[in-house]
Structure formats: C-alpha cells, structure tokens
C-alpha cells in the first residue's frame, strides 16, 4: 500500500516538474481551465463534459509523453542525430494531433451555444 501511495508521489512530482519547466504544458493547463470555465458558464450537458474531460486528458498526456521523450532523447543523444530529430518531431506531431482534435471538439460543443447567445442578445 505504501508503495502504491509513493507511486502517486512520483507521478505528482513529474506533473509539478512539467508545470514548472515547460511553457507548452502551462499553456495547455490554461487552455484546460478556460474550457472548464466555458463549459460551466454555458451549462454543457453530461456527455459534453465527458468529451471536454477526454480532450483535456488527451492533450495533457500527449504533452507529458512528448516532454519525457524530449528529455530522454537529450539524455541519449545530446549531439545532433537524424534519428533523435525524428523521435522529437514525432513526439511533437502527437501533441499537434491531440490539440487539433481538442480544438475541433471544443468548437463543436461551444460554438453553437455561443452563436445562440449572440443571436439572442
Ligand atoms: N539531438 C538532436 N538531433 C537532431 N535533431 C534535433 C535534436 N534535438 C532537437 N532536434 C530538432 O530540433 C527540433 C526542436 O527540438 P527541441 O529539443 O528544441 O524541442 P522543442 O520542441 O523546441 O521543445 P522545448 O522548447 O520544450 O525544448 C526537434 O523537433 C528536432 O527536429
């Protein structure tokens, strides 16, 4: 049980390190907070909250894995190496795909509600 709880400590320490050192991770955290606030303000439905939660988790996970991959690449290959470049580029591509999906999902959920509000005003 102690080992299980210690595991959460390591995970939290990884999260804190990413938040402290990675600007991109902080940008994604702010985007997540804005999405949650917008969802609350627009009274989105339960299934829409699930999509928003899924998108937030997907983007943060992609960013964390990409950062871990960058750290590992710099450790293993500090000098220029074509393969190391491909590894970093693919990690970055994973983040872009997750972020684009989140952007489209956010637009599908929020835009119609925002347009309704604008038309009603
Ligand atoms: N060791 C390397 N060998 C070859 N190409 C590299 C190497 N390190 C970085 N690159 C290239 O430079 C790009 C940017 O790498 P960098 O490590 O600066 O990451 P980043 O995306 O700018 O992230 P961060 O700003 O968080 O460090 C990579 O996507 C890759 O194309």
């Amino acid at each position: 049980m102690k080992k299980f709880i210690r595991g959460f400590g390591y995970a939290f320490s990884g999260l804190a390190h990413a938040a402290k050192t990675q600007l991109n991770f902080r940008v994604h955290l702010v985007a997540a907070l804005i999405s949650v606030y917008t969802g609350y303000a627009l009274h989105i439905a339960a299934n829409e909250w699930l999509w928003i939660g899924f998108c937030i988790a997907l983007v943060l996970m992609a960013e964390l894995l990409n950062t871990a991959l960058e750290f590992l690449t710099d450790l293993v290959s500090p000098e220029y190496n074509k393969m190391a470049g491909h590894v970093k580029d693919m990690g970055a591509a994973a983040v872009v795909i997750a972020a684009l999906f989140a952007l489209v999902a956010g637009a599908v959920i929020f835009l119609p509600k925002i347009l309704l509000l604008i038309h009603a005003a």
Side-chain angles (χ1 to χ4, degrees):
M1 187 65 183
K2 255 188 198 167
K3 208 176 162 200
F4 182 74
I5 293 169
R6 215 183 307 140
F8 273 106
Y10 294 141
F12 186 77
S13 142
L15 205 60
H17 188 68
K20 242 185 269 166
T21 62
Q22 304 298 311
L23 175 67
N24 286 355
F25 188 72
R26 288 199 293 275
V27 169
H28 290 309
L29 277 180
V30 170
L33 285 176
I34 291 172
S35 309
V36 170
Y37 177 78
T38 311
Y40 177 74
L42 294 175
H43 305 289
I44 61 175
N47 66 321
E48 294 171 326
W49 273 120
L50 281 180
W51 279 110
I52 295 296
F54 174 73
C55 287
I56 290 173
L58 186 74
V59 171
L60 293 183
M61 278 170 63
E63 187 59 47
L64 282 170
L65 289 174
N66 178 45
T67 301
L69 215 54
E70 277 180 10
F71 281 3
L72 198 59
T73 307
D74 288 341
L75 199 66
V76 173
S77 174
E79 280 93 44
Y80 180 87
N81 180 292
K82 206 174 160 195
M83 196 63 80
H86 289 322
V87 168
K88 284 191 174 185
D89 290 348
M90 284 188 270
V95 176
V96 169
I97 289 172
L100 281 179
F101 177 79
L103 202 67
V104 171
V108 167
I109 292 171
F110 294 137
L111 263 188
K113 294 176 179 34
I114 291 171
L115 289 177
L116 262 182
L117 279 179
I118 291 171
H119 282 300

